[in-house]
Amino acid sequence: MCRGHSQVWDVLHEKEDRTPITDIDVIYFDKEKVAEKIEKHYEQELKQISPNEPWSVKNQARMHVLNGSKPYKSAVDGIAHFPEIPTAIGVKLSNGLLEIAAPYGIRHLGAGIVEPTPFFLENNYEIYRQRMHLKQWHLRWPKLEINLQ
């Protein structure tokens, strides 16, 4: 699965020049092989196919450690633990069809509303606040409604 909110926000803001993609997040779930070096191997394979793309591969079976939560049960459970609701969306190709995984729906993304996911609201709110400060999304997309408490 991979995600990309900036393209949607560019359309909402009627930007003719698209925001450069800073990374293409590719996630998967394999609790048997959790070594980070495997993710790096997959990144290298993707770079061979598409060398100019900023690939970032993460096994959601090990990402719970970064968030200080219980182990995730699936890739979609990992998505549910992303920091912001509009970035907690994944898309995968399955049998020639695109499938969307959006534990909190897609309304926030399409409406330009940024809020923390329930996990970050309850457990890591300060990390969410720091991300909003560092990302400075409101400067690129001023119509966004970034909710901070």
Side-chain angles (χ1 to χ4, degrees):
M1 295 197 166
C2 63
R3 58 186 176 126
H5 54 280
S6 60
Q7 294 76 27
V8 173
W9 292 342
D10 282 350
V11 171
L12 289 175
H13 284 78
E14 301 175 352
K15 290 183 175 280
E16 291 187 26
D17 295 326
R18 295 292 181 240
T19 302
I21 297 173
T22 56
D23 61 356
I24 299 173
D25 294 323
V26 178
I27 68 167
Y28 66 100
F29 188 84
D30 183 348
K31 62 182 178 179
E32 301 301 319
K33 299 176 185 172
V34 294
E36 187 176 3
K37 67 180 180 178
I38 296 170
E39 297 167 9
K40 298 302 178 194
H41 173 76
Y42 290 147
E43 283 178 9
Q44 291 306 313
E45 287 185 356
L46 288 167
K47 285 179 184 178
Q48 287 178 0
I49 296 167
S50 234
N52 296 323
E53 301 299 338
W55 299 106
S56 175
V57 178
K58 300 288 186 262
N59 183 355
Q60 296 302 296
R62 72 174 195 85
M63 298 310 292
H64 67 282
V65 175
L66 297 177
N67 289 341
S69 67
K70 296 177 185 174
Y72 304 151
K73 298 175 184 138
S74 66
V76 175
D77 191 25
I79 290 171
H81 287 83
F82 285 180
E84 307 89 20
I85 290 175
T87 68
I89 299 172
V91 178
K92 75 174 180 176
L93 184 62
S94 179
N95 298 320
L97 298 174
L98 292 177
E99 291 183 13
I100 296 174
Y104 309 106
I106 61 171
R107 184 182 75 77
H108 282 73
L109 176 63
I113 299 170
V114 181
E115 293 181 339
T117 58
F119 177 79
F120 273 79
L121 181 63
E122 296 168 12
N123 302 289
N124 291 334
Y125 189 76
E126 190 53 38
I127 292 173
Y128 165 79
R129 288 180 56 84
Q130 290 171 4
R131 281 176 56 86
M132 293 304 96
H133 177 73
L134 290 172
K135 291 195 174 286
Q136 298 289 299
W137 285 338
H138 65 284
L139 298 177
R140 181 169 293 277
W141 302 288
K143 295 178 189 175
L144 290 182
E145 178 185 321
I146 299 177
N147 294 325
L148 297 168
Q149 296 179 356

